[in-house]
Amino acid sequence: MSGFSTRAVHGPPPADSRREQHGDLRPPVHDTVSFAFASAREIADAFSGRKPAHSYSRITNPTVEEFERRVQALAGGRGVVALASGMAAISTVIMALGGAGSNIVAGRSLFGNTISLLAQTLRPWGLEARFVDMTDRDAVAAAIDQDTRALFLESVSNPQLEVCDLAALAELAHGRGVPLILDNTATTFYLCRAGELGADIELVSSTKYISGGGSSVGGLIIDHGRFDWSRSPRLAAFAKSFGPFALLVALRREISRNIGACLAPHNAYLQTLGLETLALRVDKSCVNAQALAEFLQGQSAVRRVVYPGLASHPDHELARRQFNGRFGGILTFELADRDSCFAFLDKLRLICRATNINDNKTLAIHPASTIFTEFSPEEREKMGVSEGMVRISAGIEDFADLRDDIAQALS
Ligand SMILES: *Cc1c(COP(=O)(O)O)cnc(C)c1O
């Protein structure tokens, strides 16, 4: 099999011969809601599922399907569902597995909106969220019971930059009959081979690295095809009819269809384009992040730098093994207090003051006053978000320019 970038650029062999009509080197954008059929019989076959066909773009669309095919060729797995956002992918999967009286065991330092989804949005529906320290295996084991429907964690938590032992947690989850869901946004399937490490479901916010420079919002659900969905009460009926495809069919024919957070064809096109240069951009941002972390360590105003690529990081060796020798594009550092952070951010000339991560542009933010502003100072402290923390998402610019900008902003 050819290498990652070759596959990313050329894609899998075309599924649809019509696409080759003009020799297009890029798939067309099918900006349409509905699709006409030659006969009543054909449309009936499409609706009953006897013959796969596109009927309505909330459910499937050829451009979105092409993006899904290309993701699958890179990430592996049994199938992929692309949705409107990372949060759409997360909420759709949780609704496919959980329900009243059940619980999800999740990392305590997750992406803020994921915590809010689990702890607030889904609570009135009777789903319990149990937040635990994913680096503490005993705590994880103790939190799982017969009503646990999934273990949910992130490859690198943000902004704490904690890395968990995925293979060990997968083994623990599977021993208890529970699927492991990995939010692989920060590392993607280029750096972190989620399926090989034991994840059953991989989720990626394609808004970040995949969109190719912050062009569009999107999300991916990848079923790695190792979990027996008949063990998941919510999917048992689907498993009877569709066996190993239970989750994918349940998403397509019920849950994702009914929630309706579909990816727009034009955004699928942009993200297909982004996928082609994924490895190139991830590599460059990781090199920049490493160099920035090392540079910041030598600055007197900086009290601490956190980056998995530094030998001082507690999970450095684990991250090296799990992420293909690289450490991602996000780092944080500590200044004296909030005022010093604001002064630093205000002086930046090149680096953008913006939320989002893994853009082509380097972005900086003060998490305590922005992403975590809804939490009290005590809660933030518990979450590892201090008043003096600055988060940097390294882009793909020339390192010397980033270094010079940071140096002048710290002075
Ligand atoms: C951004 C992000 C999400 C949410 O993705 P959206 O595309 O913004 O909905 C989920 N998880 C992680 C780790 C993220 O960084």
Side-chain angles (χ1 to χ4, degrees):
M1 188 152 72
S2 47
F4 188 94
S5 284
T6 307
R7 280 180 287 139
V9 170
H10 289 275
D16 181 349
S17 56
R18 284 173 303 172
R19 184 158 81 61
E20 299 296 287
Q21 201 177 353
H22 305 289
D24 318 28
L25 284 176
R26 291 214 171 285
V29 182
H30 296 273
D31 260 329
T32 182
V33 171
S34 192
F35 302 83
F37 289 78
S39 67
R41 178 64 196 236
E42 279 186 33
I43 194 167
D45 283 348
F47 271 74
S48 69
R50 274 188 299 272
K51 254 196 185 162
H54 300 289
S55 61
Y56 190 71
S57 285
R58 170 158 46 73
I59 306 163
T60 61
N61 170 280
T63 311
V64 177
E65 187 176 86
E66 177 64 15
F67 176 49
E68 291 167 343
R69 258 170 30 86
R70 288 184 181 228
V71 168
Q72 192 180 359
L74 295 174
R78 178 165 281 140
V80 176
V81 177
L83 293 172
S85 66
M87 286 316 301
I90 295 169
S91 50
T92 303
V93 155
I94 298 295
M95 287 196 205
L97 299 177
S102 71
N103 67 74
I104 303 287
V105 174
R108 61 175 179 177
S109 51
L110 295 177
F111 179 67
N113 294 4
T114 306
I115 292 187
S116 170
L117 170 78
L118 294 172
Q120 296 172 302
T121 312
L122 296 178
R123 174 150 297 175
W125 269 261
L127 182 82
E128 185 197 346
R130 297 181 176 171
F131 296 106
V132 296
D133 176 357
M134 283 285 169
T135 62
D136 179 349
R137 282 182 68 180
D138 294 338
V140 178
I144 297 175
D145 63 20
Q146 74 280 3
D147 297 321
T148 302
R149 296 291 174 260
L151 197 60
F152 187 109
L153 59 140
E154 293 172 1
S155 57
V156 184
S157 72
N158 167 14
Q160 301 84 358
L161 306 181
E162 208 172 75
V163 179
C164 313
D165 188 335
L166 299 176
L169 287 169
E171 195 187 311
L172 173 63
H174 296 154
R176 305 285 293 273
V178 169
L180 180 91
I181 305 175
L182 178 71
D183 182 337
N184 199 14
T185 299
T187 32
T188 77
F189 34 82
Y190 172 54
L191 294 185
C192 176
R193 304 301 296 171
E196 289 159 33
L197 289 166
D200 301 289
I201 301 175
E202 176 179 359
L203 302 173
V204 181
S205 164
S206 49
T207 311
K208 313 290 166 56
Y209 268 133
I210 291 170
S211 76
S215 70
S216 49
V217 179
L220 295 164
I221 302 171
I222 302 160
D223 179 353
H224 278 289
R226 55 166 66 232
F227 196 79
D228 174 4
W229 296 118
S230 68
R231 299 181 76 174
S232 190
R234 177 73 175 77
L235 295 174
F238 282 97
K240 269 211 182 96
S241 306
F242 303 103
F245 290 91
L247 173 68
L248 291 162
V249 174
L251 291 173
R252 222 39 110 181
R253 298 226 190 129
E254 187 205 310
I255 299 145
S256 143
R257 181 198 69 185
N258 293 351
I259 292 174
C262 57
L263 183 63
H266 185 71
N267 288 350
Y269 174 78
L270 291 174
Q271 303 205 351
T272 302
L273 215 56
L275 211 51
E276 292 191 6
T277 54
L278 178 66
L280 209 61
R281 291 179 291 100
V282 171
D283 283 342
K284 183 73 195 280
S285 88
C286 290
V287 167
N288 275 344
Q290 181 78 38
L292 285 173
E294 287 167 14
F295 169 72
L296 282 161
Q297 265 190 326
Q299 303 303 301
S300 56
V302 174
R303 302 183 161 191
R304 190 166 84 113
V305 183
V306 178
Y307 181 61
L310 295 176
S312 58
H313 191 283
D315 310 315
H316 178 62
E317 282 309 320
L318 177 65
R320 182 196 299 286
R321 266 189 283 127
Q322 271 181 186
F323 308 144
N324 219 351
R326 267 147 295 178
F327 303 94
I330 303 165
L331 61 138
T332 67
F333 63 93
E334 204 84 35
L335 297 176
D337 49 27
R338 179 181 287 224
D339 288 345
S340 329
C341 294
F342 275 36
F344 167 79
L345 290 166
D346 288 345
K347 280 168 99 175
L348 290 171
R349 292 176 191 149
L350 175 70
I351 296 171
C352 308
R353 289 165 289 271
T355 188
N356 194 20
I357 52 169
N358 305 329
D359 197 321
N360 289 343
K361 298 178 176 73
T362 298
L363 312 176
I365 197 163
H366 179 247
S369 63
T370 54
I371 305 163
F372 292 88
T373 188
E374 66 193 73
F375 299 100
S376 69
E378 295 71 35
E379 285 173 317
R380 283 199 292 266
E381 211 53 55
K382 251 195 246 159
M383 295 167 127
V385 179
S386 71
E387 285 297 305
M389 177 197 274
V390 174
R391 184 187 78 186
I392 303 267
S393 168
I396 61 171
E397 303 96 327
D398 295 296
F399 170 68
D401 295 323
L402 299 175
R403 180 200 56 206
D404 292 351
D405 195 28
I406 287 182
Q408 66 80 22
L410 281 174
S411 68

